[in-house]
Amino acid sequence: MVEFFSKVAVEAKASDVRELLKLTKIPGMISFAGGLPSPDAFPVEEMKGVAVDVIDKHGYKAMQYGTTEGLAELRTLIKDIMAKRHVNTDISNILITTGSQQGLDLCGKVFINKGDKIACESPTYLAAISALKPYQPQFVEIDMDEEGMRLDHLEKQLQSEKIKFIYTIPDFQNPSGRSMTIERRRAMVDLANKYDVLIVEDSPYSELAYDQEAYAPIKSFDTEGRVIYLSTFSKIVCPGFRVGWICADEKYLSKYIILKQGLDLHTNQFSQYMIENYYSKYNMDQQIDQIKSLYRTKRDAMIEAIELHFPKSVKTSKPAGGMFLWVELPEGIDSKALLPKALEQKVAYVSGEAFYPNIPKKNTMRLNFSNSTVSEIHKGIKILGEILSEALL
Ligand code: PMP
């Protein structure tokens, strides 16, 4: 059988996290493992009316093939969203994708030849590693600190080897919850210009800022059209519709459009109409404020429970937004080895090693706070605290 597979398929392995997510379906399991938004944030009632409107107004078009670029009305809406995010652009610079995840795969298709080097934060988004790996790049991991990717380390790499693009998640990063400061965003563009490298800015969480306004995107400092900006409606409306976008200079976007045709020709027309009509019918600032207050409460509950129950030698990030919190255990403690104990007591988390493309730091873990209730958060963190205290004895 193996002889039928491509080399890429032979090397493709099911991710531990996807396997783990199956366990989280067990009744009673408190899961900090996935990256799921809270269903309480989904506008189910509102969408009933929107669906009827879409069928009444656009029924035939919603059921027909569309253009690869996506609905002009939705791209116009995204142009306005981008303006609010301090990026002035035109709809010719916007391509609708089947979630940001498709945007990531397309980055591989458009830019990566086997062996090309791409720089990324260490740790980085697990499913970006999975999306890009089949194109066989070499990942160059760049350390992070509380202010995001370490640009001094990045510059050393840029001086010594040719990097194709820098992949970064600057806002409330998945998995670490950290954000890149404004100074670093500006400086990263300067580095990209100096060393002739592209930046892929993956920003699904920027609007989920709980403590202060989100920082302006790296794209807003782009002076030479080097930043490919990816975003999505998954966290601010719902992920099930699978609608995301890429905002990039036309010289790059034209290739994304051609290569997307081999994947799905175009993004789901019905979903695009649903999102566009939802935005025109409802006050989105209010809707997003509701999601933010829901998640802020959960984030605060998790931080409070950690302060109460985790041993003091365990370090945790204090994310100002997004959906994740990052935990660093003392050196030598393997978070994966502790997972069976947690699962036995019906608590799931993701061991941090999955988020490193080359050199895993085994003493780390990612905790998701958006998908559990406040009481589950208190209960689950208490159990984890007991497991960690025992391991650190
Ligand atoms: N990038 C990052 C950093 C993410 O966390 C996610 C969602 N987990 C995505 C991209 C993909 O989002 P989408 O649902 O739009 O495909």
Side-chain angles (χ1 to χ4, degrees):
M1 177 189 85
V2 178
E3 69 274 16
F4 292 118
F5 287 135
S6 67
K7 205 166 163 284
V8 165
V10 170
E11 282 170 16
K13 299 274 178 296
S15 92
D16 284 356
V17 178
R18 292 278 140 202
E19 294 302 301
L20 182 64
L21 289 183
K22 290 182 195 156
L23 296 178
T24 63
K25 299 275 177 296
I26 295 172
M29 183 70 76
I30 297 174
S31 177
F32 305 134
L36 304 185
S38 169
D40 295 340
F42 298 158
V44 176
E45 284 307 313
E46 291 87 337
M47 286 298 182
K48 276 190 199 165
V50 174
V52 172
D53 290 351
V54 166
I55 303 229
D56 279 348
K57 282 198 258 169
H58 311 286
Y60 288 96
K61 285 195 207 152
M63 291 179 205
Q64 186 54 284
Y65 284 113
T67 61
T68 307
E69 289 85 338
L71 279 188
E73 299 93 309
L74 182 61
R75 287 154 69 222
T76 305
L77 166 77
I78 291 170
K79 174 180 172 295
D80 297 341
I81 294 176
M82 293 302 294
K84 276 196 179 168
R85 295 185 190 177
H86 312 284
V87 176
N88 291 317
T89 188
D90 189 73
I91 74 163
S92 56
N93 298 114
I94 293 162
L95 165 66
I96 310 293
T97 54
T98 301
S100 276
Q101 195 60 34
Q102 184 180 56
L104 290 170
D105 178 75
L106 282 168
C107 289
K109 277 198 167 39
V110 172
F111 295 121
I112 300 177
N113 290 318
K114 184 178 174 188
D116 281 349
K117 297 196 168 96
I118 55 179
C120 63
E121 282 135 3
S122 178
T124 188
Y125 173 46
L126 168 65
I129 304 175
S130 326
L132 299 176
K133 223 177 188 171
Y135 302 97
Q136 299 177 291
Q138 268 180 264
F139 292 95
V140 178
E141 291 182 48
I142 311 289
D143 287 341
M144 297 182 86
D145 59 21
E146 291 312 310
E147 301 187 355
M149 189 186 281
R150 290 274 307 257
L151 296 192
D152 50 343
H153 290 198
L154 174 67
E155 183 157 24
K156 266 197 197 125
Q157 293 296 338
L158 293 171
Q159 278 164 350
S160 65
E161 53 194 352
K162 181 70 201 160
I163 303 275
K164 255 290 169 70
F165 64 78
I166 304 160
Y167 169 65
T168 176
I169 308 144
D171 305 299
F172 321 120
Q173 197 227 26
N174 180 1
S176 73
R178 296 173 188 134
S179 291
M180 192 187 291
T181 56
I182 281 282
E183 295 71 30
R184 283 206 193 164
R185 290 170 195 236
R186 255 198 213 102
M188 184 179 270
V189 170
D190 291 343
L191 284 181
N193 290 345
K194 182 170 168 192
Y195 292 96
D196 189 22
V197 54
L198 300 175
I199 298 173
V200 173
E201 177 177 24
D202 184 10
S203 182
Y205 302 105
S206 65
E207 298 208 28
L208 300 184
Y210 311 139
D211 299 336
Q212 58 193 56
E213 286 264 304
Y215 297 136
I218 300 172
K219 178 87 187 138
S220 68
F221 303 109
D222 189 9
T223 47
E224 298 181 359
R226 290 178 180 277
V227 183
I228 318 284
Y229 179 90
L230 273 55
S231 194
T232 177
F233 291 100
S234 286
K235 321 292 171 178
I236 48 176
V237 182
C238 60
F241 287 179
R242 310 307 298 128
V243 181
W245 72 91
I246 299 177
C247 174
D249 197 285
E250 275 175 87
K251 62 179 178 278
Y252 300 121
L253 205 67
S254 56
K255 291 290 183 190
Y256 278 84
I257 293 168
I258 296 167
L259 288 165
K260 179 176 158 67
Q261 290 166 358
L263 293 174
D264 56 7
L265 295 176
H266 68 94
T267 300
N268 185 318
Q269 287 277 99
F270 186 67
S271 292
Q272 293 185 70
Y273 275 117
M274 287 293 288
I275 301 266
E276 200 275 324
N277 279 259
Y278 175 58
Y279 264 75
S280 57
K281 192 166 174 182
Y282 289 96
N283 178 333
M284 281 311 295
D285 290 338
Q286 264 174 22
Q287 301 278 332
I288 293 172
D289 277 349
Q290 280 175 18
I291 302 178
K292 288 195 325 192
S293 80
L294 178 72
Y295 289 175
R296 187 186 294 115
T297 308
K298 290 170 190 255
R299 187 249 349 230
D300 291 347
M302 191 172 265
I303 291 177
E304 190 190 305
I306 284 177
E307 278 166 5
L308 215 58
H309 300 296
F310 275 18
K312 296 292 165 253
S313 55
V314 173
K315 281 195 259 163
T316 51
S317 64
K318 295 207 166 44
M323 302 186 345
F324 304 103
L325 198 143
W326 188 243
V327 179
E328 283 187 39
L329 309 174
E331 290 287 340
I333 306 282
D334 181 352
S335 74
K336 202 173 174 181
L338 300 176
L339 189 57
K341 275 193 194 163
L343 291 173
E344 216 172 87
Q345 297 188 58
K346 297 218 160 154
V347 181
Y349 60 84
V350 186
S351 156
E353 66 173 77
F355 301 95
Y356 297 89
N358 306 320
I359 313 154
K361 276 198 191 149
K362 291 176 182 290
N363 59 327
T364 56
M365 58 168 85
R366 187 193 74 177
L367 301 177
N368 166 263
F369 54 79
S370 56
N371 195 239
S372 304
T373 62
V374 166
S375 71
E376 285 169 340
I377 289 173
H378 278 287
K379 190 173 165 201
I381 292 294
K382 183 165 185 282
I383 293 172
L384 274 187
E386 284 158 9
I387 293 171
L388 293 178
S389 302
E390 200 182 303
L392 296 182
L393 275 182

